[in-house]
Amino acid sequence: MADPAHTGPRHVAIIMDGNGRWATQRGRPRLFGHHAGARRVREVVETCPDIGVEYLTIFAFSTENWKRTQVEVAGLMSLFRRYITKEARALNEFGARVRFIGDRVRLDKKLIALMDELEALTAHNTSVHLTIALNYGGRDEVARATKRLAEDVASGKLDPETVDEETLPKYLDTYVLPDPDLVIRTSGEARISNFLLWQSAYAEYEFIDTLWPDFGRAEFTALCENYGGRDRRFGGVKP
């Protein structure tokens, strides 16, 4: 149960940007930066319980990332398989519950099997809920959700007259998660890149210059503390 005195974000979503630039600055290939970025994830995950963050969602690979070179895409897919295999035990022992969101159709069968295994392994954990967005795009998610909703209307399972803004979220990949309170994007870019479009309607945003491989516990903690000082009115006016 959430602490009523806690003023920080319960759910933080992160666009982990800047891996390739970080590597280029060091004269290394882009995949070197992606490997460095993957190592940062555990530090952020393990920080969450200490600062009251119950849910962490990270953007690992977008539906648009398939446009990158074949070498980089293949390297990223290999990295995801290695990451899951290597980190599964540590995440489970830490008590993290892991979920994946996104369209799995285009992913290879071995990677999908590893994702399924990690979700099953950690299904009863509660220290932090880690959601990994893999082959994910906000527009794609809404389109898939709308298709499922339309199918339920066509089959008679859902009355179209009852459809409202509370209905669609039940069909989204994130249907079991609360909406994010805070969205962080690293690397100095100030755009949301098709990430959690519906869910982030009232999220606070932090666009920071730090490249993801340099992002760590201290900066994550500071951003969450800063969130606690914001005046969130959700479109209303406080008396």
Side-chain angles (χ1 to χ4, degrees):
M1 182 178 294
D3 180 358
H6 176 61
T7 59
R10 289 183 63 219
H11 184 177
V12 178
I14 303 179
I15 302 172
M16 306 180 296
D17 197 18
N19 293 322
R21 200 179 320 164
W22 185 89
T24 300
Q25 289 175 356
R26 289 158 176 77
R28 303 296 297 272
R30 288 176 57 83
L31 282 172
F32 178 76
H34 292 303
H35 282 271
R39 291 192 292 270
R40 277 298 181 185
V41 173
R42 187 193 293 190
E43 180 178 346
V44 174
V45 169
E46 293 181 350
T47 301
C48 286
D50 295 338
I51 60 176
V53 173
E54 301 171 47
Y55 298 85
L56 176 69
T57 299
I58 57 175
F59 204 2
F61 189 88
S62 77
T63 50
E64 290 76 27
N65 287 155
W66 295 102
K67 299 174 185 177
R68 298 185 179 185
T69 66
Q70 185 176 357
V71 171
E72 184 170 355
V73 170
L76 284 167
M77 292 300 150
S78 176
L79 172 60
F80 297 144
R81 292 191 295 269
R82 289 177 56 188
Y83 177 82
I84 294 173
T85 301
K86 180 180 178 182
E87 294 292 318
R89 181 176 179 180
L91 287 167
N92 186 48
E93 290 179 350
F94 183 70
R97 176 165 188 175
V98 182
R99 296 181 176 89
F100 292 90
I101 59 173
D103 188 356
R104 302 189 184 193
V105 173
R106 197 169 177 180
L107 302 176
D108 70 70
K109 292 181 180 180
K110 182 176 181 181
L111 176 56
I112 294 172
L114 290 170
M115 292 160 64
D116 290 340
E117 290 171 8
L118 184 54
E119 286 183 326
L121 176 67
T122 63
H124 301 291
N125 293 342
T126 59
S127 67
V128 61
H129 294 259
L130 172 63
T131 301
I132 302 173
L134 188 55
N135 195 29
Y136 173 88
R139 289 181 175 180
D140 175 73
E141 178 190 29
V142 171
R144 288 186 287 105
T146 304
K147 181 179 179 180
R148 289 193 294 270
L149 188 154
E151 290 171 347
D152 281 353
V153 169
S155 67
K157 295 180 181 179
L158 181 65
D159 180 355
E161 294 300 320
T162 67
V163 175
D164 57 22
E165 66 179 62
E166 300 298 324
T167 307
L168 184 62
K170 297 175 184 178
Y171 292 83
L172 296 174
D173 296 350
T174 56
Y175 68 96
V176 297
L177 305 174
D179 288 343
D181 304 297
L182 174 64
V183 179
I184 299 169
R185 181 173 187 145
T186 59
S187 88
E189 303 293 344
R191 58 180 180 272
I192 59 176
S193 294
N194 200 18
F195 185 47
L196 301 178
L197 299 180
W198 179 281
Q199 300 89 334
S200 299
Y202 278 100
E204 298 289 328
Y205 279 83
E206 289 278 5
F207 299 104
I208 61 173
D209 292 333
T210 307
L211 302 178
W212 175 249
D214 292 327
F215 185 82
R217 180 183 181 92
E219 192 162 11
F220 183 44
T221 300
L223 291 172
C224 291
E225 289 176 348
N226 181 59
Y227 168 92
R230 296 193 180 194
D231 183 14
R232 290 170 57 78
R233 299 185 297 274
F234 299 96
V237 178
K238 292 183 179 179

